[in-house]
Amino acid sequence: MRFATRNALLAVAVLLTGLALPQSLRADAPPPTDRPFLRIVVIDHSPPFSDRDADGVLVGFNIDFGRELCRSLGAVCSFDAAPFKQIIDDVAAGRYDIGFGNVLRTPDREQRLLFSIPYWRSSTSLVGQRGVPELSLEEAIRSRRIAAIRGSRQHAALVGLADADPALQANLIPVSTLDDLWDAMRSGQSDMAIGPTLNVVHFLLSDAGDGFETIGTPMSEDGLGGTVHIVFPPGQHALKASVDRALTALRNDGTYQRINRSYFPFDIY
């Protein structure tokens, strides 16, 4: 699926207005005595799911939904941000109670974390200069330099292809953050970038995305998509059960859909 024109993208952008709510307590804030206190971590700069406004306040879909989740649980929550891989490590070590890390469920992660019921679905898209012919991922890595966030499922898929043919290693451009992903492509360090489709759409709707488009259709096979989950430290079964009930309730009463419409023109569940 291609995003045909920038005008069409900008029309969709009108629907992607986020909610900017005040930031919660810091993770190191003392827990209140009368209500549960939960430490939540989100991805550092992953718009439209999480980002910081001009005042440094965390905003985004995961922040708004996390606040509603805390309200439903009757809990006071702090929100911190960290890189994706650090979220998995920190939640697994119990440094946070809840991770909104846009985490796909994989066998290796199941050894370290507990997973909520799904709260949205993910896929992967290639993005490049407008006019590039449609390519499969294997065709792309054989003929183009592709940037991917180190440690992501997209990076793992490219590593697998490059391992089968060492000559392709030079075409894999690992980067650290979402901003680095787009910067690598815009600067010419890479010819393409690969990332979660909803992040790609957000980039294409921005001024920085002018002149770029998706290459081919979104991918979900081979670990490149699937259900996305909230994660918990091992052993926190009671917390997981409470969050699962709250997620279901927020879907049933329309709260989830209301927040969804603030960021996306379609249901991401």
Side-chain angles (χ1 to χ4, degrees):
M1 176 182 69
R2 287 180 179 272
F3 293 87
T5 68
R6 179 157 180 81
N7 287 339
L9 287 170
L10 291 174
V12 176
V14 175
L15 300 175
L16 299 179
T17 303
L19 300 176
L21 298 178
Q23 190 174 17
S24 289
L25 299 171
R26 291 180 53 82
D28 56 0
T33 57
D34 57 339
R35 296 167 64 189
F37 179 73
L38 296 173
R39 301 159 300 168
I40 296 178
V41 61
V42 300
I43 298 179
D44 189 15
H45 189 64
S46 182
F49 292 98
S50 53
D51 204 356
R52 293 186 184 273
D53 65 14
D55 297 321
V57 177
L58 283 168
V59 295
F61 175 87
N62 281 346
I63 311 305
D64 293 345
F65 187 63
R67 293 183 193 282
E68 288 295 336
L69 187 67
C70 290
R71 179 190 59 78
S72 183
L73 293 170
V76 172
C77 296
S78 68
F79 287 80
D80 277 353
F84 177 80
K85 185 180 185 303
Q86 186 179 327
I87 288 175
I88 293 176
D89 292 342
D90 283 352
V91 173
R95 286 187 281 272
Y96 292 97
D97 304 299
I98 293 176
F100 275 92
N102 296 356
V103 181
L104 297 175
R105 192 167 190 160
T106 64
D108 57 324
R109 291 171 183 167
E110 285 181 326
Q111 299 297 314
R112 307 182 63 199
L113 301 162
L114 293 180
F115 288 78
S116 73
I117 60 174
Y119 80 107
W120 60 277
R121 295 190 66 86
S122 174
S123 63
T124 289
S125 288
L126 274 171
V127 59
Q129 291 281 352
R130 191 170 296 150
V132 172
E134 294 193 9
L135 299 167
S136 69
L137 187 57
E138 185 170 2
E139 289 171 335
I141 192 63
R142 289 189 176 281
S143 59
R144 304 289 197 283
R145 296 165 300 158
I146 306 177
I149 296 176
R150 190 180 287 105
S152 67
R153 296 300 297 170
Q154 292 81 16
H155 181 252
L158 292 177
V159 167
L161 291 171
D163 284 347
D165 185 350
L168 303 181
Q169 293 284 353
N171 284 348
L172 174 54
I173 312 296
V175 299
S176 298
T177 69
L178 202 59
D179 278 344
D180 294 339
L181 193 68
W182 313 134
D183 287 346
M185 186 172 56
R186 295 175 66 213
S187 69
Q189 182 185 1
S190 70
D191 304 302
M192 293 181 176
I194 185 171
T197 297
L198 294 179
N199 294 118
V200 167
V201 169
H202 189 270
F203 166 71
L204 293 175
L205 291 169
S206 70
D207 290 340
D210 189 25
F212 296 94
E213 64 183 356
T214 54
I215 309 300
T217 58
M219 299 165 275
S220 58
E221 68 282 355
D222 300 325
L224 291 174
T227 56
V228 176
H229 304 259
I230 298 167
V231 292
F232 315 92
Q236 293 297 323
H237 297 282
L239 177 58
K240 168 192 153 43
S242 295
V243 168
D244 285 349
R245 288 192 294 270
L247 278 170
T248 301
L250 293 172
R251 282 285 299 175
N252 290 341
D253 70 11
T255 300
Y256 180 98
Q257 293 85 343
R258 171 177 58 79
I259 298 172
N260 189 136
R261 287 192 297 269
S262 298
Y263 292 93
F264 308 102
F266 45 82
D267 190 350
I268 67 172
Y269 185 75

